[in-house]
Amino acid sequence: MLKRIYHKFQSNDLLKTGSYYSLSSTVNSFAKMFVGIVIMRWLNPYELGLWNAVSIFLAYIPFFQLGIQNGLSIELPILMGNNDADYKKYIASARWYSYFISILFMVGGLMATLASLFFADSFELTLGIGTICIIAASTSLTLHLISTFRTSKSFDKLTKIYIIESITTLLATYLVYQYHYYGILLFNILIVVQHTVLLYIYSPYKDIKPEYSKTFLQKLLKRGMVIMLFYQLRVLAQSFPRWIILALGGVLQLGLFSPAMALKTMMNLLPSQINQFLQPQMGFKYGKDGKASLLWPHINKMIWIYPLICLPVTIGVILFMPYVVTTFFPKYTASILSIQIMSVAFIFSSYATTHNILYTLKAYKEAYVFLFFELIGYAAFPFLCYFTFETDVLSSISIGILINYIFLYLFNYFLLKQVLFADKYNTKIT
């Protein structure tokens, strides 16, 4: 029985690649979550709060790409599925734009850091701004490079990247231990820049030179602008709880919320990495067959299997986190309940692994409806819970996030089931 399963696994390249990739990305996610928890032992809540306040703006970096890299990530597997040779021109144009934006971030970041040095009251804030600018320049290249990893073979390379990153992430925690707030700045620069360098080294299309093409940039802009707006609004929505805590409780409360945010970061990271593998495979299949209904079995399995994978993690967090925090991180005991609540939300985060198929199908109307409720939920549920439940601000905000995750999980399931079997997505490529 086991031997038959093993041979079936080895003979299915897609299953094998997806499994190895998912395992490596999961290990990488847990490494980052572990680091997020461990550094609480070396940083006080105010230092973490200051970093979280500065890093809020990282969420808006992709906006400057104007959706061009989003368009490439969606269009590339469909073009390859249709055997369209123009895919190289799309890559060259998108690459030129990413280099252009990265240079702008470097120049603008230098000017902003120098201005902050003269006008800001806090030297720590100035260094934080400089760090954000370096990360922004590197991220601009990363957003392009990651969009070119679309084939199963390229995901084997991503597996290697995540293994290397997991090791580096764990070793780099020494910087935080040694230099505290300055160490967390160095830690984030190292991890982000390393990610960009590794993506470039293993890039499947390094031979394609950046080339300006108004025609292909316009095509990518048209395809990706809508997707980028969806993404950016989603990022804006997910930042609402942090702004609410900052407004209601200040920097200290935001720092105390850091453990729950570390868990939420993994909740967002793991599904996005799975989606990064799943979406191009579905896009290739849709480009080849033109029938969205053939995607439903794969989508349906992911929707139901992912929560089962997350369940043991949630149980472990609920049972052991009180002991871990009180024993090793006594400064953050006020965060225990919010961490436990957020771990329950982890179970329902699988909607993020499948929702982006709407963009592949160009089902923008349905995507708008989903995004509308997501935006409202991230703002409304935390506020309602804050004024409804007689508990602290951290716990009430976490309950609001949990309710929103449950709602989005159920809504995404029924929405995708309706869209994938609609006639207009099962006749031809739209």
Side-chain angles (χ1 to χ4, degrees), residues 3 9 17 47 143 148 178 188 236 241 248 277 284 329 332:
K3 187 176 181 181
F9 174 80
T17 298
E47 289 173 324
L143 290 172
T148 63
Q178 184 68 30
N188 280 279
L236 175 64
L248 297 175
F277 173 78
F284 183 87
F329 314 102
Y332 294 88

Side-chain angles (χ1 to χ4, degrees), residues 27-77:
V27 171
N28 190 42
S29 298
F30 275 103
K32 291 180 178 179
M33 184 185 72
F34 173 77
V35 170
I37 294 174
V38 168
I39 61 176
M40 293 188 302
R41 189 171 178 83
W42 304 319
L43 296 180
N44 61 54
Y46 181 82
E47 289 173 324
L48 269 181
L50 181 60
W51 166 247
N52 282 329
V54 173
S55 62
I56 286 178
F57 298 97
L58 288 175
Y60 309 111
I61 291 175
F63 176 79
F64 294 91
Q65 295 292 332
L66 300 180
I68 288 175
Q69 311 308 332
N70 300 90
L72 180 66
S73 66
I74 296 294
E75 200 68 31
L76 189 56

Side-chain angles (χ1 to χ4, degrees), residues 302-320:
M302 182 56 64
I303 290 174
W304 291 108
I305 292 176
Y306 187 88
L308 297 177
I309 296 174
C310 297
L311 184 59
V313 178
T314 298
I315 295 174
V317 170
I318 292 175
L319 293 178
F320 298 108

Side-chain angles (χ1 to χ4, degrees), residues 96-246:
W96 177 89
Y97 186 77
S98 72
Y99 285 11
F100 173 71
I101 294 298
S102 184
I103 293 173
L104 284 183
F105 275 131
M106 292 173 63
V107 175
L110 178 61
M111 296 174 62
T113 304
L114 290 175
S116 175
L117 184 63
F118 287 103
F119 297 106
D121 296 331
S122 171
F123 183 63
E124 287 79 7
L125 179 60
T126 298
L127 290 180
I129 293 174
T131 298
I132 297 303
C133 294
I134 294 173
I135 293 175
S138 184
T139 300
S140 176
L141 300 177
T142 296
L143 290 172
H144 165 69
L145 292 170
I146 201 69
S147 297
T148 63
F149 286 75
R150 302 287 90 184
T151 64
S152 296
K153 185 177 180 180
S154 66
F155 278 92
D156 289 331
K157 298 178 180 178
L158 276 178
T159 298
K160 297 178 182 178
I161 291 175
Y162 285 131
I163 292 173
I164 296 172
E165 283 188 0
S166 298
I167 298 172
T168 306
T169 297
L170 295 175
L171 294 176
T173 55
Y174 176 77
L175 294 172
V176 186
Y177 168 76
Q178 184 68 30
Y179 303 108
H180 299 279
Y181 174 75
Y182 305 110
I184 200 171
L185 302 183
L186 292 172
F187 172 85
N188 280 279
I189 291 175
L190 174 62
I191 298 304
V192 172
V193 172
Q194 177 199 239
H195 185 60
T196 303
V197 171
L198 288 175
L199 285 175
Y200 177 78
I201 292 174
Y202 288 100
S203 174
Y205 302 107
K206 281 192 295 187
D207 58 315
I208 299 179
K209 304 299 181 183
E211 180 180 347
Y212 174 79
S213 172
K214 183 178 179 181
T215 300
F216 286 98
L217 281 175
Q218 286 179 336
K219 289 181 178 179
L220 288 173
L221 182 66
K222 182 179 178 181
R223 181 72 158 113
M225 176 60 79
V226 175
I227 301 170
M228 187 274 296
L229 288 174
F230 281 125
Y231 172 81
Q232 203 60 40
L233 287 173
R234 176 164 291 113
V235 170
L236 175 64
Q238 293 178 356
S239 69
F240 284 163
R242 295 169 71 180
W243 287 112
I244 294 172
I245 292 175
L246 192 60

